[in-house]
Amino acid sequence: MAEWRHHWADINGLTMHYVEQGQGPLVVLAHGFPHSWFSWRHQIAAIAAAGYRVVAFDLRGMGQTSAPIEVEAYDVQHTMGDLVGLLDHLGEERAVFAGLDFGLFAIYDMAYHWPQRMRAIIGLGNPAWPHDRDRSPLTAARDVAKKHFYHIDYFTRQPGVAKAALDAEPRAFLKRVFYALSGDYHYVDVWKHPPGTSYLDALPEPPPLPWPWLSELELEFFVSDYARSGFLGGLNWYRAMDLRWAYRRQFENMPNPVPFYFLTSENDTDMEAFHGDDPLAKLPSQYADLRRVEILPKAGHMLQMERAAEVSARMVEFLADIGRSEG
């Protein structure tokens, strides 16, 4: 922690918060929802120690970065623009980008517009954009929610209801959803609840902290940020799903051109439920330069925290391979 350097900068119309450590080639880390830069706390130090400049930033709407209230502020141009703007602010022409969930999807978007500014992509847990060419994400969510509780519908159909519920109990929500997304719980069981259930009621009651991968103090980092910012920014990422889906249709049959490394886990709910049948088999057609694919056992969607040492080691290996390939 002593070597973390916190910064706040005006980037792409936001006040963006990011944390930096180390010197060397740049590695940018992008989190998902409901996370923050702190999700990467273990990897920051490990990658910096291996000889890299590491920057972990808070996505727009989350953590200590500005949270625009307009849904349109979370479209592809804005979220991708945050990455390019961060590079410009850091004075770097290129970087390796690593991400999970929404942060990773923005990285995938950037690859189609600014591949020359990306040395490689390291993806965690989400092999590609979840994409149904025939139905928009929010249309699909409405259909699913007719049968059972579905968090995307809950977040987007009545966003004021979701915001009020989550803002009122940030600690309860974060503790429950972190546990539910981990390899210690089968997240899809949340969908056994009937339509109309609130997310807090659908989520399981977690065991007391500390867990092997999360302490009370570590949870407090997330709680304090979301208690300050509220959850509207994170919910707006969901509310803008149809905007991003419509924009991405132009790239449906185009392989991602950037060198790609993928790390996932045995019990990741996104791999199970959001990317269709056998998502790993699709990777060679989705990426023009697929380098490595690895699966870690006994972990879920909280991969970089649940298996911190293994994730850090794999990422350092990937970075070394990138350096050798550029030789």
Side-chain angles (χ1 to χ4, degrees):
M1 286 187 195
E3 297 185 36
W4 289 342
R5 300 185 298 277
H6 289 259
H7 304 273
W8 287 262
D10 294 331
I11 295 172
N12 198 28
L14 304 171
T15 299
M16 183 184 291
H17 170 246
Y18 65 92
V19 172
E20 181 178 12
Q21 183 176 342
Q23 296 182 342
L26 178 63
V27 180
V28 175
L29 307 177
H31 64 82
F33 176 81
H35 301 191
S36 73
W37 73 271
F38 191 64
S39 303
W40 298 104
R41 59 194 176 278
H42 304 291
Q43 287 73 46
I44 294 170
I47 296 172
Y52 298 90
R53 180 188 186 187
V54 187
V55 169
F57 72 103
D58 284 333
L59 269 65
R60 65 170 52 220
M62 294 184 249
Q64 299 177 48
T65 292
S66 303
I69 61 173
E70 304 86 0
V71 173
E72 294 75 16
Y74 297 80
D75 65 12
V76 167
Q77 290 89 335
H78 285 89
T79 57
M80 175 180 63
D82 294 345
L83 300 174
V84 179
L86 178 60
L87 266 187
D88 291 342
H89 170 78
L90 294 171
E92 298 277 5
E93 184 59 32
R94 302 173 74 218
V96 174
F97 287 84
L100 174 85
D101 197 76
F102 283 134
L104 182 55
F105 299 152
I107 291 170
Y108 293 156
D109 289 325
M110 182 178 170
Y112 286 96
H113 295 80
W114 300 95
Q116 70 275 17
R117 304 201 67 178
M118 310 178 83
R119 295 177 60 212
I121 296 170
I122 300 174
L124 273 66
N126 300 92
W129 305 310
H131 190 80
D132 180 340
R133 63 182 303 159
D134 299 318
R135 282 194 308 171
S136 76
L138 298 187
T139 299
R142 302 291 179 263
D143 292 341
V144 172
K146 295 173 184 176
K147 305 171 186 176
H148 55 73
F149 170 81
Y150 191 54
H151 69 290
I152 296 176
D153 181 73
Y154 175 76
F155 284 160
T156 59
R157 186 189 296 268
Q158 294 180 295
V161 172
K163 177 185 181 302
L166 303 188
D167 285 355
E169 298 188 74
R171 178 173 283 99
F173 171 63
L174 290 166
K175 186 176 178 182
R176 291 183 186 189
V177 77
F178 282 4
Y179 172 69
L181 288 169
S182 76
D184 296 321
Y185 185 80
H186 185 226
Y187 178 83
V188 175
D189 288 349
V190 170
W191 298 348
K192 293 180 179 179
H193 294 271
T197 305
S198 75
Y199 203 5
L200 279 165
D201 288 338
L203 289 166
E205 184 63 38
L209 290 166
W211 306 333
W213 54 275
L214 189 72
S215 69
E216 286 277 9
L217 179 58
E218 289 172 321
L219 177 66
E220 186 62 29
F221 273 77
F222 298 100
V223 173
S224 62
D225 274 346
Y226 279 100
R228 177 194 57 81
S229 68
F231 288 91
L232 178 62
L235 298 180
N236 277 345
W237 279 85
Y238 288 90
R239 296 172 68 195
M241 278 179 158
D242 279 5
L243 296 177
R244 296 194 298 273
W245 171 84
Y247 185 86
R248 290 167 181 160
R249 288 175 65 87
Q250 64 189 298
F251 304 110
E252 279 176 355
N253 299 313
M254 296 174 57
N256 186 314
V258 176
F260 184 60
Y261 298 76
F262 186 59
L263 180 63
T264 189
S265 52
E266 184 179 32
N267 300 318
D268 191 316
T269 188
D270 278 37
M271 291 290 289
E272 175 187 5
F274 292 98
H275 291 278
D277 296 332
D278 199 3
L280 296 183
K282 302 173 185 175
L283 290 176
S285 65
Q286 293 171 326
Y287 294 89
D289 189 0
L290 178 62
R291 299 284 181 86
R292 285 176 62 179
V293 177
E294 295 203 23
I295 303 173
L296 295 180
K298 299 179 181 179
H301 196 57
M302 311 297 286
L303 178 61
Q304 74 269 52
M305 292 187 273
E306 293 178 79
R307 293 291 181 270
E310 295 96 324
V311 169
S312 297
R314 296 301 191 282
M315 292 181 72
V316 170
E317 290 175 12
F318 295 166
L319 290 165
D321 187 67
I322 294 163
R324 286 191 297 269
S325 70
E326 294 174 341

